[in-house]
Amino acid sequence: MNKEKKGLLEMIGATFIWGSTPLMSIYSSLPSGVFVFFRVFFAFPFILYFAIRRSGIREFLKLRPFWPLLFSGIALGVNWVFFFLSFNYTDVATAVSIYYAGPIISLLLAVLFLKEEINIFIVIAVILAFAGVIVSNGGMSLSKGAFIALLAAVSYGLLGFFSKIATMHHRPAAVTAWQILISMLITAPFLFLSKWHLSVQGVIIALITGVIHTALALFLWYDALNYIKVSVASVLQYLDIVFAVILAFLFLGQTPSLNQITGAVLIIVAGVLSLRYKN
């Protein structure tokens, strides 16, 4: 197997794993904040080991500047809490499609605050992304689930924005480890504020999500970047939407509507156009 094919398979594997995360959240029956806590709690030892092995302990302990690590970690925890919460109020296709407007929001924030150049591609990408949100929801008036998914998308955009700043000063693997640690700390209060009970099924699913859907998927993502271009990887990440919709249809019986499919396509096209902007 050549290296490029290996990278493509690893990237597709990572997106398939991430696409199945909504199922894990739903089957766990845990409140979103509690589910996120256990996800990052079980993932952190593996992510920390990976970060230290890749960047070294000195790089991990390099904290200046700390504020982009802090804000990106908060954004990670908040975006996952909203994302998994949205499944309580809407179907997977709507939530996931709206959620993936996040990278376009991140790009828009970079243009506004980091003075990155704007051109026709970013303008069209932003228009298509927000059109996709409206179409996926079925109109301008957002349902509760769609609104929560939009909050997840905004916090996802902030995550990308602050991560971009963080990686200007720190190694990406170290940034990821700090984000996981900080998100674990900010979601810990949900253990006491939410009504939930500890079940074997919930803990096992959270453990699998932490080890497989977070640690392993991130390892596959990083390793794939050794063999394929970042632009190719960024396009392939939108397979998350496709896998999530297919798995929701197969296991939850959620058949996507024409509006949801159209909205997802618009958002995927917006993501691809945003890559043209970056290039």
Side-chain angles (χ1 to χ4, degrees):
M1 182 185 297
N2 61 47
K3 292 183 177 181
E4 184 176 1
K5 184 179 292 186
K6 178 185 177 182
L8 288 172
L9 288 175
E10 286 182 329
M11 190 60 63
I12 292 171
T15 56
F16 177 80
I17 292 171
W18 283 325
S20 66
T21 307
L23 292 182
M24 306 301 286
S25 170
I26 293 168
Y27 285 148
S28 75
S29 300
L30 292 171
S32 62
V34 175
F35 180 74
V36 172
F37 170 80
F38 281 119
R39 176 183 185 178
V40 294
F41 177 80
F42 289 125
F44 180 66
F46 299 95
I47 300 296
L48 179 62
Y49 170 78
F50 175 69
I52 292 176
R53 182 178 177 181
R54 195 175 182 93
S55 305
I57 186 66
R58 292 183 63 182
E59 177 63 31
F60 174 73
L61 295 176
K62 175 188 171 185
L63 298 181
R64 295 184 180 180
F66 185 67
W67 69 268
L69 297 174
L70 175 63
F71 286 125
S72 63
I74 293 172
L76 176 64
V78 170
N79 107 85
W80 276 347
V81 169
F82 280 134
F83 181 51
F84 296 126
L85 180 62
S86 67
F87 300 134
N88 294 337
Y89 302 99
T90 189
D91 53 87
V92 171
T94 298
V96 172
S97 297
I98 293 174
Y99 179 69
Y100 270 91
I104 310 302
I105 295 173
S106 176
L107 192 58
L108 184 60
L109 289 172
V111 168
L112 293 175
F113 297 103
L114 298 181
K115 306 303 181 183
E116 292 193 358
E117 183 183 355
I118 188 170
N119 62 21
I120 188 62
F121 294 104
I122 182 60
V123 173
I124 296 174
V126 170
I127 293 172
L128 287 178
F130 284 99
V133 170
I134 294 169
V135 173
S136 294
N137 180 63
M140 291 289 290
S141 179
L142 292 177
S143 65
K144 185 174 184 179
F147 178 70
I148 294 172
L150 183 60
L151 291 178
V154 171
S155 50
Y156 184 10
L158 289 170
L159 168 63
F161 174 69
F162 288 121
S163 295
K164 185 178 182 67
I165 298 174
T167 52
M168 293 176 182
H169 307 281
H170 307 276
R171 297 282 182 86
V175 170
T176 302
W178 275 106
Q179 289 172 344
I180 294 290
L181 175 59
I182 292 167
S183 62
M184 181 170 63
L185 296 176
I186 69 164
T187 55
F190 284 102
L191 297 175
F192 309 99
L193 299 176
S194 304
K195 292 182 179 180
W196 63 287
H197 67 278
L198 190 64
S199 68
V200 175
Q201 175 179 314
V203 172
I204 290 175
I205 290 176
L207 173 63
I208 292 171
T209 307
V211 176
I212 304 298
H213 292 72
T214 309
L216 176 61
L218 280 172
F219 169 78
L220 291 174
W221 172 273
Y222 278 117
D223 195 57
L225 293 178
N226 293 321
Y227 311 115
I228 62 176
K229 295 179 179 179
V230 174
S231 58
V232 174
S234 299
V235 171
L236 289 177
Q237 76 173 345
Y238 285 94
L239 286 175
D240 287 11
I241 301 176
V242 178
F243 287 133
V245 172
I246 291 173
L247 292 171
F249 171 72
L250 293 176
F251 292 96
L252 302 176
Q254 296 181 359
T255 304
S257 67
L258 180 60
N259 279 354
Q260 291 167 337
I261 294 173
T262 304
V265 169
L266 288 172
I267 291 170
I268 291 172
V269 172
V272 173
L273 278 177
S274 71
L275 295 173
R276 179 66 182 84
Y277 157 77
K278 292 178 183 178
N279 292 337

